[in-house]
């Protein structure tokens, strides 16, 4: 592979606002937001891989690493082919991947993460509230059942939080995820703009 995609990773527990912030940032020219949750949800539900996704996500579990990274790679290649994402022009905002240590390791070959936005919220009840609101708005089955939501927090603590240790501490920015969407966006932008200037030099 010729070039590793310059990337910013959005990491944080379910409901913390990765998708909300990722979408806003992705609407700014020069950024491309790629959320693996959206990627999985856009699959044909009756296809083999669509059924596999539902099997895992409905239990609050991660889709197996191999399948996830393979699908992610195919998805990125299609985005490039359709000129929706241009690696030389856009910074990839990765939301929901890597979500485990093996994914972080495999993806080293494809991405160059120069900044990690770690969204932090200690108030689990607030996150559960956000997710239940989202369940009503978007009809997400993995967000309706409180037991499944709790399972996803466990999976985050066990499998995703350790991903942070795979990267140099200097590129990790802890961002307080409580506040209005604009406040959180401002906090993120104030961290990523200097990092982008440094990368573009
Ligand atoms: P949230 O925004 O609440 O964290 P997502 O929409 O990102 O949730 O993901 C929904 C579900 O999709 C996850 O619970 C998981 O089953 C699956 N999924 C998303 N990204 C990955 C990944 N990188 N590896 C494995 N499974 C994933």
């Amino acid at each position: 592979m010729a070039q590793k995609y310059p990337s910013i990773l959005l990491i944080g527990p379910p409901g913390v606002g990765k998708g909300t912030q990722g979408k806003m940032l992705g609407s700014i020219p020069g950024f491309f937001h790629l959320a693996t949750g959206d990627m999985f949800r856009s699959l044909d539900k009756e296809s083999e891989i669509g059924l596999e996704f539902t099997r895992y996500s409905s239990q609050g579990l991660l889709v197996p690493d191999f399948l996830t990274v393979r699908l992610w790679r195919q998805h990125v290649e299609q985005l490039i082919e359709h000129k929706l994402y241009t690696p030389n022009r856009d910074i990839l905002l990765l939301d929901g991947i890597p979500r485990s240590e093996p994914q972080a390791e495999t993806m080293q070959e494809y991405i160059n993460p120069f900044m990690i936005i770690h969204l932090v919220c200690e108030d689990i009840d607030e996150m559960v509230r956000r997710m239940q609101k989202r369940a009503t708005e978007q009809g997400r089955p993995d967000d309706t059942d409180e037991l499944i939501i709790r399972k996803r927090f466990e999976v985050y603590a066990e499998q995703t939080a350790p991903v942070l240790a795979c990267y140099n501490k200097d590129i990790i920015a802890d961002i307080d995820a409580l506040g209005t969407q604009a406040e959180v966006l401002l906090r993120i932008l104030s961290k990523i703009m200097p990092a982008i200037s440094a990368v573009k030099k």
Side-chain angles (χ1 to χ4, degrees):
M1 184 172 126
Q3 181 215 17
K4 294 189 188 186
Y5 312 131
S7 307
I8 294 177
L9 311 186
L10 297 167
I11 297 189
V16 80
K18 301 180 298 288
T20 306
Q21 293 297 325
K23 277 194 197 81
M24 286 192 288
L25 289 161
S27 71
I28 303 172
F31 292 98
F32 189 87
H33 174 229
L34 198 169
T36 43
D38 294 343
M39 173 186 85
F40 280 126
R41 281 185 291 275
S42 71
L43 295 169
D44 172 1
K45 285 194 176 48
E46 299 306 321
S47 67
E48 204 180 314
I49 183 158
L51 290 168
E52 196 77 342
F53 164 65
T54 308
R55 194 151 75 82
Y56 288 98
S57 63
S58 62
Q59 298 175 70
L61 301 174
L62 297 185
V63 179
D65 294 327
F66 170 75
L67 200 63
T68 301
V69 177
R70 196 186 61 190
L71 187 68
W72 174 83
R73 284 190 56 200
Q74 287 169 355
H75 187 65
V76 175
E77 276 160 23
Q78 277 174 15
L79 290 168
I80 295 174
E81 201 179 295
H82 292 111
K83 300 203 166 28
L84 294 167
Y85 160 56
T86 305
N88 290 332
R89 181 192 64 195
D90 303 327
I91 287 162
L92 204 50
L93 292 164
L94 288 180
D95 164 0
I97 196 163
R99 217 172 177 121
S100 67
E101 287 170 289
Q103 289 181 16
E105 208 166 296
T106 317
M107 288 178 69
Q108 272 183 24
E109 203 184 317
Y110 312 111
I111 59 171
N112 170 24
F114 63 92
M115 175 111 236
I116 320 281
I117 294 296
H118 176 211
L119 287 164
V120 183
C121 172
E122 304 299 340
D123 187 347
I124 295 205
D125 292 340
E126 168 61 18
M127 286 186 283
V128 173
R129 266 195 300 279
R130 288 181 187 182
M131 289 165 79
Q132 285 172 328
K133 182 166 172 271
R134 175 168 81 181
T136 341
E137 287 166 2
Q138 302 175 2
R140 273 182 59 166
D142 57 340
D143 275 351
T144 30
D145 184 328
E146 179 141 2
L147 273 180
I148 297 171
I149 294 182
R150 301 274 167 198
K151 179 72 194 163
R152 287 166 68 204
F153 281 108
E154 261 174 52
V155 169
Y156 176 79
E158 282 165 16
Q159 298 185 51
T160 308
V163 166
L164 288 167
C166 300
Y167 301 101
N168 187 330
K169 272 200 200 69
D170 299 344
I171 64 164
I172 302 177
D174 290 338
I175 305 279
D176 177 5
L178 279 181
T180 64
Q181 294 186 9
E183 280 164 350
V184 179
L185 181 65
L186 184 62
R187 289 176 203 144
I188 297 178
L189 281 172
S190 72
K191 294 286 181 185
I192 63 180
M193 293 321 288
I196 291 172
S197 316
V199 165
K200 295 235 156 124
K201 258 182 206 152

